[in-house]
Amino acid sequence: MNHHPPDQARSPQPPHVAFVGRANIDITVRIPQRPVPGRTTFASSPATTTPGGKSLNQALAARQAGARTSLISNVGDDEWGIFLNRALTDAAVDVSHFRLVPSAPTGIAIIEVTPDGENYIVLARPPKTELTGEHVRSALRQLRAPTVVTQLDLQPEAVDAVFQHHDAGTLIGNLVPHPTLGATALAPLDLFVSNEAEAAAILGRHHADPSIAAQELRKLGPRAVVLTVGARGAVYSDADHTALVPAQHVNAINTSGAGDAFLGTLAARLAHKVPLTHAVAEGVTAATTFVRVGGRQ
């Protein structure tokens, strides 16, 4: 006989969001100023080694924001890859399509953080761990997640696999599209999310008013656009409105990963059917908290 309370038995599953993209190790050093040629700069504190990569960061943020999350990604079958797999598992992110590739190294990002919280990143990205179209197709077919977030700078076959498979639900794209895809990669999206530098790279010019940049990006085909504008917050533009959602002023400790905290939270809230303007506001709050405390807690 089932003795579970009725409300517990009927408790609905949280919405499912799948992330398609990269994972790597972040090695972060805090420095008093950027090095100059021929001179050594000593770090202000010991280096830290943490899980990283845009899609991994976003999956963790979405999980923290109440979504059920899966990460479709490749890493090396090495010490770092095993470390990342364990971190995702510990955070209750589904790793059924997170592959450890034999004889491949795991990607590493070297992140320098200056006292103003700005970050300077160098990413070593192993070609052997790039996603293939077949991996992406197979994963999405099995996961059947109604919300999918993809990096657009992946190999074209991987991005095309996302577009071909995902014909229902919500499709969110991030980053400057792979050069062979170009701006046409924005057209199939329900939502495109970028920062100002990425928007300028796509549009070919920087707009002083981010609202204009967001509207210009919408002309490339996505149903809606969100443009993150650092300490000012984020601008969203859809068929009905274009508006700035301001951020609370805080003293930033580290801005590295703030955009991923924003996007992961935004995706989770949209998966919960929260209206875009409210989802953007929750994303801004998550990113603001992230930079204030210096990362995930």
Side-chain angles (χ1 to χ4, degrees), residues 96-159:
S96 58
H97 299 280
F98 182 78
R99 294 183 180 173
L100 278 65
V101 179
S103 304
T106 296
I108 295 178
I110 308 297
I111 306 172
E112 299 175 351
V113 182
T114 48
D116 59 358
E118 280 301 324
N119 61 86
Y120 304 86
I121 303 173
V122 177
L123 176 61
R125 190 178 68 197
K128 288 183 71 172
T129 58
E130 288 290 88
L131 283 167
T132 65
E134 181 49 43
H135 181 179
V136 172
R137 269 189 298 274
S138 173
L140 291 177
R141 195 180 301 123
Q142 293 176 54
L143 291 173
R144 304 177 65 85
T147 301
V148 175
V149 182
T150 186
Q151 289 186 216
L152 297 175
D153 67 340
L154 299 172
Q155 292 300 306
E157 62 169 306
V159 179

Side-chain angles (χ1 to χ4, degrees), residues 226-252:
V226 173
L227 199 58
T228 58
V229 291
R232 288 170 290 164
V235 170
Y236 72 92
S237 180
D238 60 17
D240 300 315
H241 302 287
T242 298
L244 170 70
V245 177
Q248 177 187 3
H249 174 73
V250 296
N251 292 321

Side-chain angles (χ1 to χ4, degrees), residues 120-238:
Y120 304 86
I121 303 173
V122 177
L123 176 61
R125 190 178 68 197
K128 288 183 71 172
T129 58
E130 288 290 88
L131 283 167
T132 65
E134 181 49 43
H135 181 179
V136 172
R137 269 189 298 274
S138 173
L140 291 177
R141 195 180 301 123
Q142 293 176 54
L143 291 173
R144 304 177 65 85
T147 301
V148 175
V149 182
T150 186
Q151 289 186 216
L152 297 175
D153 67 340
L154 299 172
Q155 292 300 306
E157 62 169 306
V159 179
D160 285 341
V162 176
F163 292 163
Q164 292 163 13
H165 177 85
H166 197 74
D167 54 4
T170 302
L171 179 58
I172 302 172
N174 181 221
L175 300 179
V176 178
H178 190 280
T180 60
L181 293 171
T184 58
L186 273 59
L189 301 173
D190 296 296
L191 174 64
F192 175 62
V193 182
S194 80
N195 61 31
E196 288 183 284
E198 292 157 356
I202 294 168
L203 296 172
R205 59 166 295 190
H206 173 76
H207 288 279
D209 183 350
S211 296
I212 295 175
Q215 291 168 334
E216 289 292 312
L217 288 168
R218 268 198 69 232
K219 291 178 183 177
L220 297 175
R223 290 175 55 198
V225 168
V226 173
L227 199 58
T228 58
V229 291
R232 288 170 290 164
V235 170
Y236 72 92
S237 180
D238 60 17

Side-chain angles (χ1 to χ4, degrees), residues 258-290:
D260 299 330
F262 171 87
L263 180 47
T265 303
L266 173 69
R269 302 317 295 154
L270 290 174
H272 275 96
K273 307 302 182 186
V274 172
L276 180 61
T277 179
H278 298 305
V280 170
E282 292 193 48
V284 168
T285 299
T288 301
T289 301
F290 188 95

